Amino acid sequence: METITMKQAAQFVGQEVHINAWVTNKRSSGKIAFLQLRDGTSYFQGIVVKADVSEEVFELAKSLGQESSIILTGVVQEDTRSALGYELLVKDIQIVGESHDYPITPKEHGTDFLMDHRHLWLRSSKQHAILTIRNEIIRATYQFMSENDFVKIDPPILTGSAPEGTTELFHTKYFDDDAFLSQSGQLYMEAAAMAFGKVFSFGPTFRAEKSKTRRHLIEFWMMEPEMAFVEHEESLEVQEKYVAYLVQSVIDNCQLALKTLDRDVEQLRKYTITPYPRISYTDAIELLNKNGFDDITWGDDFGSPHETFIASQYEQPIFIVNYPKAIKPFYMKVNPEDPRTVLCADMIAPEGYGEIIGGSEREIDYDVLAENIKNFGLDSETYAWYLDLRKYGSVPHSGFGIGLERAVAWISGIEHIRETSAFPRLLNRIYP
Ligand code: 4AD
Ligand code: MG
């Protein structure tokens, strides 16, 4: 007899099979027990009819604690009432691991309690749905990049440079020297783009930000493409195509997860339409000032209420382009049409999710860049290799970084970024 997963049920209707599972809930009367089951691939109901099984099996079914692990034997049946459409008419149950007094019960629990039990909370259907969407976004990213001829290059995690400013670095000893955990692979990816043309990285990044918001993690995953011979506007076109592709992939391949999360799919469909609107930083400031935001003037960075308001004027994700040079990193190319600003864009997600992508065209003028490095208080020697790229066959190039967890939070429609990571690292939390 075959052992199948719940996801494979459709191919086994009417057949007797084994299924390995955990019990999420159960109810029973004198004559019948209903087991709510999961096996990691999906959810399933097991029906145990007293008249059809031995007395021991029926007693066992009635006594199973929440999260007991079992091997079921039974016949797969269609079940039009369940989300999956199938159930198991149980013939036999073998217990694998008992479970008593499971801490997470179907009643409501507080966030701290759930975070302390993250190692168990992962099993719940909402968390399973979010991480399923995360997995799909990762899969679709590799597919998109491969279809568009990008080569994956892995930049180092232990680094000596600080692409995004020196205030948010994690220090560590590197034998007798100091090193930082990577806050972005970008500078290395620029070197790689000069070797391969179109490259991307996808890996963990670290920001020692003392931010305790629904958008910030201390450790997060970033996907960073870098493209040689590509100017700013062309990079924006890649970004919108890529994000629309992610949303479409989740709509196509994560129906059950979206349903579990109550995500409005019609809303998501709007985000598959490109191009996305563009608004300049300068126009965005004007828009804010006209609408009662007098706490911000030209030169300031946006706070999340500002981003949320600007995005709320549109139906799709938007690009805010050409920020002031002074509030962006040293490597961004100055805007020839307005040298107070740089050729950059942040993509702002709708529905209050804020910035999901930061990107720019890169400065390639050796002297301007050397001057920026000095002015930003960075050590020229550390960046000598980076300046070298401007000496030997330098070409216009652009790139961007998308925060995986922010994209997952937005596409899943969930409240807080902490649920997008299996074991999130947050300010004041490194357990479990
Ligand atoms: O805007 P950022 O800082 O840009 C860079 O690091 C560039 N070097 C990227 C590039 O051009 N190659 O970060 C990019 C994205 C943000 O838009 C956001 O989605 C995410 O990374 N991000 C965070 N996500 C979660 N928690 C944090 N603390 C984050 N900081 C940035
Ligand atoms: Mg940014």
Side-chain angles (χ1 to χ4, degrees):
M1 201 185 306
E2 272 200 72
T3 298
I4 67 161
T5 65
M6 293 178 184
K7 221 174 148 182
Q8 295 171 319
Q11 307 153 39
F12 291 88
V13 176
Q15 296 185 41
E16 193 167 308
V17 295
H18 294 305
I19 293 184
N20 302 327
W22 288 265
V23 179
T24 62
N25 211 344
K26 66 164 196 298
R27 66 196 158 81
S28 56
S29 68
K31 290 183 179 147
I32 190 161
F34 295 96
L35 304 177
Q36 303 312 316
L37 305 163
R38 58 172 190 86
D39 76 342
T41 70
S42 194
Y43 300 87
F44 221 75
Q45 173 165 266
I47 300 175
V48 193
V49 180
K50 187 170 182 191
D52 291 353
V53 297
S54 71
E55 201 156 312
E56 296 85 73
V57 168
F58 193 70
E59 286 311 307
L60 175 62
K62 286 204 311 190
S63 72
L64 289 169
Q66 190 187 346
E67 288 303 315
S68 307
S69 48
I70 55 179
I71 300 173
L72 297 138
T73 308
V75 178
V76 177
Q77 309 189 130
E78 285 194 50
D79 167 26
T80 45
R81 288 149 306 168
S82 83
L84 186 76
Y86 304 95
E87 63 185 11
L88 193 75
L89 188 60
V90 177
K91 298 262 176 83
D92 193 16
I93 302 172
Q94 236 181 293
I95 184 107
V96 179
E98 290 186 19
S99 171
H100 304 289
D101 304 320
Y102 186 69
I104 303 176
T105 58
K107 71 163 197 202
E108 288 272 313
H109 296 281
T111 302
D112 269 340
F113 177 87
L114 290 170
M115 289 304 291
D116 283 340
H117 293 85
R118 184 65 178 164
H119 49 297
L120 302 176
W121 191 24
L122 287 181
R123 303 180 188 192
S124 76
S125 57
K126 182 182 172 203
Q127 300 310 311
H128 191 278
I130 297 165
L131 294 178
T132 298
I133 288 173
R134 178 184 170 115
N135 177 63
E136 175 59 18
I137 290 175
I138 294 169
R139 191 204 62 75
T141 293
Y142 279 93
Q143 187 169 333
F144 180 90
M145 288 295 144
S146 159
E147 282 171 6
N148 288 281
D149 294 327
F150 283 76
V151 175
K152 182 156 186 278
I153 299 288
D154 302 315
I157 301 289
L158 289 167
T159 70
S161 57
E164 303 299 316
T166 51
T167 53
E168 301 167 351
L169 290 169
F170 267 105
H171 287 250
T172 177
K173 287 309 283 176
Y174 195 74
F175 305 107
D176 291 335
D177 275 334
D178 288 313
F180 313 117
L181 299 183
S182 174
Q183 56 170 198
S184 160
Q186 180 196 318
L187 306 189
Y188 298 103
M189 298 310 288
E190 287 184 52
M194 300 306 135
F196 290 86
K198 291 202 287 186
V199 293
F200 75 107
S201 66
F202 201 166
T205 38
F206 304 86
R207 303 268 168 109
E209 271 180 272
K210 293 255 160 81
S211 301
K212 206 175 173 182
T213 77
R214 52 186 281 250
R215 299 172 180 182
H216 285 90
L217 291 169
I218 305 301
E219 176 180 324
F220 63 98
W221 280 55
M222 184 153 48
M223 200 284 285
E224 295 186 276
E226 195 67 36
M227 301 162 281
F229 292 105
V230 166
E231 294 178 7
H232 183 53
E233 179 55 34
E234 193 180 338
S235 171
L236 299 189
E237 286 161 20
V238 174
Q239 293 174 43
E240 61 199 0
K241 263 192 221 134
Y242 163 63
V243 171
Y245 185 94
L246 293 184
V247 175
Q248 188 63 54
S249 299
V250 171
I251 293 172
D252 292 343
N253 301 322
C254 300
Q255 279 124 345
L256 183 61
L258 291 171
K259 203 164 158 197
T260 302
L261 297 169
D262 246 338
R263 187 65 164 124
D264 180 353
V265 174
E266 287 321 305
Q267 183 75 22
L268 284 180
R269 277 190 219 289
K270 294 183 190 161
Y271 311 149
T272 64
I273 299 163
T274 57
Y276 294 162
R278 285 118 165 95
I279 177 173
S280 75
Y281 168 89
T282 303
D283 289 348
I285 291 286
E286 199 176 305
L287 176 75
L288 288 168
N289 291 158
K290 270 200 203 138
N291 285 278
F293 290 88
D294 36 24
D295 57 333
I296 186 162
T297 50
W298 202 99
D300 297 339
D301 209 350
F302 300 120
S304 63
H306 304 127
E307 286 180 350
T308 299
F309 178 80
I310 300 161
S312 74
Q313 307 299 297
Y314 303 87
E315 296 259 291
Q316 293 153 280
I318 58 162
F319 291 108
I320 303 180
V321 302
N322 302 348
Y323 284 69
K325 185 175 160 69
I327 57 170
K328 287 292 180 189
F330 73 94
Y331 53 71
M332 291 188 179
K333 184 180 165 73
V334 74
N335 177 8
E337 280 166 27
D338 177 1
R340 298 176 306 164
T341 65
V342 282
L343 294 177
C344 73
D346 283 358
M347 186 189 288
I348 313 295
E351 304 175 71
Y353 285 90
E355 177 198 333
I356 53 169
I357 292 184
S360 70
E361 186 166 340
R362 318 311 190 184
E363 185 56 71
I364 55 170
D365 184 298
Y366 187 98
D367 296 325
V368 172
L369 197 55
E371 188 66 19
N372 285 353
I373 287 172
K374 232 176 41 209
N375 291 343
F376 276 75
L378 302 168
D379 169 32
S380 303
E381 247 172 68
T382 308
Y383 295 88
W385 67 268
Y386 184 68
L387 281 164
D388 257 2
L389 303 175
R390 276 67 182 168
K391 275 200 330 212
Y392 306 107
S394 185
V395 300
H397 61 289
S398 304
F400 63 93
I402 181 167
L404 172 63
E405 290 81 2
R406 288 202 193 163
V408 174
W410 163 53
I411 295 175
S412 303
I414 57 163
E415 183 59 28
H416 200 292
I417 196 168
R418 63 183 161 233
E419 292 178 42
T420 63
S421 167
F423 293 98
R425 308 290 87 165
L426 300 162
L427 195 62
N428 305 331
R429 177 177 286 282
I430 199 166
Y431 177 91

